[in-house]
Amino acid sequence: MRARSKFAACRISRPTRTRHRVRRPATGSGPAPGRLAGHLWTHLRRAPGTFLWLGVLLVTSAIMHRCSPEVLTDFLQRRSTNIHNLLHAPGRVLLTSALWLDGGGWPLHFVLYNVVHAPAERWLGTRRWLAVLATAHIGATYLSEGLLAVAIRTGAAPESAVNTLDVGVSYALAGVVAVLTYRLAGPWRYAYALGVLAFYGGPLLTGRGFTDVGHFAAALIGFACRPLTRGAPAGLPGGAVPERSTPAP
């Protein structure tokens, strides 16, 4: 017994080993540059018309900032959708007038295009989105300038108003804002439509000018484009509206 106990006492106890686990970063826990680039490309690819237009506006805005006020006024005057230009070169000015900004600056329009145009293009498809904005831009331009021509003939506006400077993208924007009404369902649709009417119709109560008539007319044209929304999904704000993965005709 004594020998066994001595033998046991002579045993050297081994130190216990503590295992340290090295935590590896979870796969996909951080935004990889490649993944962000993929999301950005998908975002741009699903609304090609919107971002191509924004790119053109960025270039023309840079040109505007480099011109003196006198040169810029003369330059835009030749691209204005005024009465004189609509009589002599309607196709040219209707196109080129939508490639220049009249106030607000490009950063503001970058936000507006991502909030209004990009969702509308993904929802309707590029062709129908283009049809809405072109109809609103052209229709509102002719209606507002036609009323201005009547005002000139009746003496309510001066003769010089035939050369009024009128460029910008706001008529097209108003038309697309209005057509987005049909993307909503239930009471949200009517609340949104009333908001659009109040926003664009309110300035008419103060009798500001022919551009206010144009904006209100563009909104009404957007409402009238409901046939172009057939087949496009509708839903509630905040999520439940599926968008087209590829532009549809």
Side-chain angles (χ1 to χ4, degrees):
M1 293 293 293
R2 290 181 179 178
R4 176 178 287 183
S5 62
K6 287 182 179 180
F7 181 76
C10 291
R11 289 181 178 176
I12 300 173
S13 58
R14 295 181 179 179
T16 57
R17 295 180 180 179
T18 304
R19 295 183 179 180
H20 298 280
R21 294 182 178 179
V22 179
R23 294 184 177 180
R24 297 180 179 178
T27 304
S29 59
R35 183 174 300 177
L36 288 177
H39 287 315
L40 177 60
W41 172 244
T42 301
H43 181 66
L44 298 176
R45 183 173 56 86
R46 294 178 66 193
T50 295
F51 294 107
L52 179 61
W53 195 3
L54 263 178
V56 173
L57 291 176
L58 178 61
V59 174
T60 56
S61 297
I63 295 174
M64 290 175 68
H65 285 295
R66 291 178 176 271
C67 296
S68 65
E70 296 78 12
V71 172
L72 181 60
T73 299
D74 181 68
F75 184 82
L76 294 180
Q77 191 68 49
R78 295 195 297 270
R79 289 153 181 82
S80 171
T81 50
N82 53 41
I83 297 172
H84 177 270
N85 288 339
L86 286 174
L87 290 174
H88 294 87
R92 177 179 62 83
V93 295
L94 284 169
L95 175 61
T96 57
S97 65
L99 304 179
W100 301 85
L101 296 178
D102 182 22
W106 190 85
L108 173 61
H109 285 81
F110 176 81
V111 175
L112 291 174
Y113 272 50
N114 276 276
V115 172
V116 177
H117 281 301
E121 184 178 2
R122 295 183 191 123
W123 173 54
L124 294 173
T126 300
R127 292 182 183 179
R128 288 195 280 181
W129 165 75
L130 280 172
V132 172
L133 69 87
T135 303
H137 174 63
I138 296 172
T141 296
Y142 272 104
L143 181 59
S144 60
E145 293 294 339
L147 291 176
L148 181 60
V150 172
I152 293 173
R153 286 191 176 184
T154 58
E159 289 287 339
S160 59
V162 296
N163 293 313
T164 301
L165 183 61
D166 184 19
V167 296
V169 299
S170 56
Y171 290 169
L173 182 68
V176 175
V177 166
V179 82
L180 282 173
T181 300
Y182 306 113
R183 188 181 176 183
L184 307 178
W188 294 106
R189 173 177 294 184
Y190 304 106
Y192 180 86
L194 288 175
V196 173
L197 289 173
F199 182 81
Y200 288 110
L204 294 179
L205 300 178
T206 60
R208 290 184 179 179
F210 75 98
T211 56
D212 298 313
V213 175
H215 289 127
F216 187 68
L220 295 181
I221 292 171
F223 286 129
C225 287
R226 184 174 185 177
L228 292 174
T229 68
R230 291 175 182 171
L236 294 176
V241 183
E243 294 178 341
R244 298 180 184 274
S245 56
T246 56

